[in-house]
Amino acid sequence: IDVLQNAVMTVDKNTFSGYNKNGISFGVNSLPGFGGVRGTISNNIITGAGPISTVAQNGIQVCETNTATITNNDISSHTYTGLYWWSTGILLYSDNNSVSYNTVDANQARIDITAGNHNTVEDNTITGDSHSQAGVMVTTPNVASPLPATLNTIQNNIISGGYIGIWSSYCNTNTYHHNTISGCTGNGIYFWDTDNNTVDQNTISDIALNNYGWGIALDGG
């Protein structure tokens, strides 16, 4: 399902598999100006093709000026094995979205906020496999981007497995509250060149048992 502009949508109780790029899209970030879509994405089963090199798939993508309430979905098996790109379970490239009570399993980047503001990611169950890089990412498209992700709230999520539980780079003034993170092979929470974030009441355990990692790592300039 690809909704480009000017619509109110309810996408509920569907099963998606065998698609090429995305399972569900509100807007297209390569075509600026396609906005005005809002709605609810709920109770869907969205299954990617697993590790593939042909396309970087995303289960759900919301971008431009579009917004969504994303809840109670089961999203799995999105991994890109080529260069330069990652696949994601849920990709937010927009503001004011709510992501809650989803099960997100075996995705390369499981939930990714890229240059989005005022988003809430809470009460999700996020698990990883050997291809999973980050449970929740809060990032900017590139170092020189004028669009950092700010004022997002990541809270009450259960994150396990994969390389890093929560990963943030070049983004400031976000809140990471009361998450439970375990079983990561790298770091529990990793910050690269970020400032003025709030990190409180998180439970982090069983991190990098056979490697060199930290519960919380602050890196960069």
Side-chain angles (χ1 to χ4, degrees):
I1 293 180
D2 190 3
V3 188
L4 291 178
Q5 59 182 331
N6 300 330
V8 178
M9 294 291 299
T10 298
V11 184
D12 184 65
K13 297 185 178 70
N14 301 282
T15 299
F16 297 87
S17 63
Y19 44 87
N20 183 27
K21 176 59 176 170
N22 297 334
I24 302 170
S25 298
F26 281 10
V28 181
N29 66 355
S30 60
L31 298 173
F34 282 80
V37 180
R38 59 186 173 86
T40 300
I41 301 171
S42 59
N43 302 303
N44 300 285
I45 300 172
I46 306 169
T47 306
I52 58 172
S53 61
T54 53
V55 63
Q57 293 185 304
N58 303 302
I60 296 172
Q61 177 176 305
V62 182
C63 53
E64 298 300 335
T65 58
N66 308 294
T67 62
T69 297
I70 302 170
T71 187
N72 286 307
N73 300 283
D74 189 331
I75 306 163
S76 63
S77 302
H78 300 86
T79 294
Y80 180 57
T81 60
L83 300 176
Y84 308 118
W85 304 101
W86 281 4
S87 288
T88 64
I90 300 172
L91 174 61
L92 304 179
Y93 208 115
S94 67
D95 304 336
N96 300 309
N97 299 285
S98 174
V99 179
S100 63
Y101 298 104
N102 300 281
T103 299
V104 186
D105 176 52
N107 301 279
Q108 193 169 21
R110 286 159 274 178
I111 298 176
D112 185 358
I113 300 172
T114 298
N117 307 301
H118 297 282
N119 296 290
T120 301
V121 176
E122 61 183 346
D123 297 303
N124 300 281
T125 300
I126 304 167
T127 56
D129 61 9
S130 60
H131 298 284
S132 299
Q133 296 298 314
V136 177
M137 297 186 69
V138 182
T139 64
T140 189
N142 55 66
V143 176
S145 173
L147 300 171
T150 62
L151 300 173
N152 299 286
T153 300
I154 315 301
Q155 64 182 9
N156 300 325
N157 300 285
I158 298 173
I159 305 170
S160 62
Y163 183 54
I164 290 174
I166 295 173
W167 180 342
S168 180
S169 57
Y170 306 107
C171 296
N172 306 321
T173 323
N174 297 289
T175 297
Y176 306 89
H177 169 73
H178 207 271
N179 299 284
T180 300
I181 303 170
S182 64
C184 300
T185 60
N187 301 303
I189 301 176
Y190 179 75
F191 293 106
W192 174 266
D193 202 359
T194 67
D195 294 305
N196 299 317
N197 297 289
T198 299
V199 183
D200 73 304
Q201 299 183 52
N202 299 282
T203 300
I204 303 171
S205 62
D206 297 332
I207 301 301
L209 293 180
N210 299 313
N211 298 290
Y212 187 56
W214 296 267
I216 299 174
L218 307 177
D219 206 347

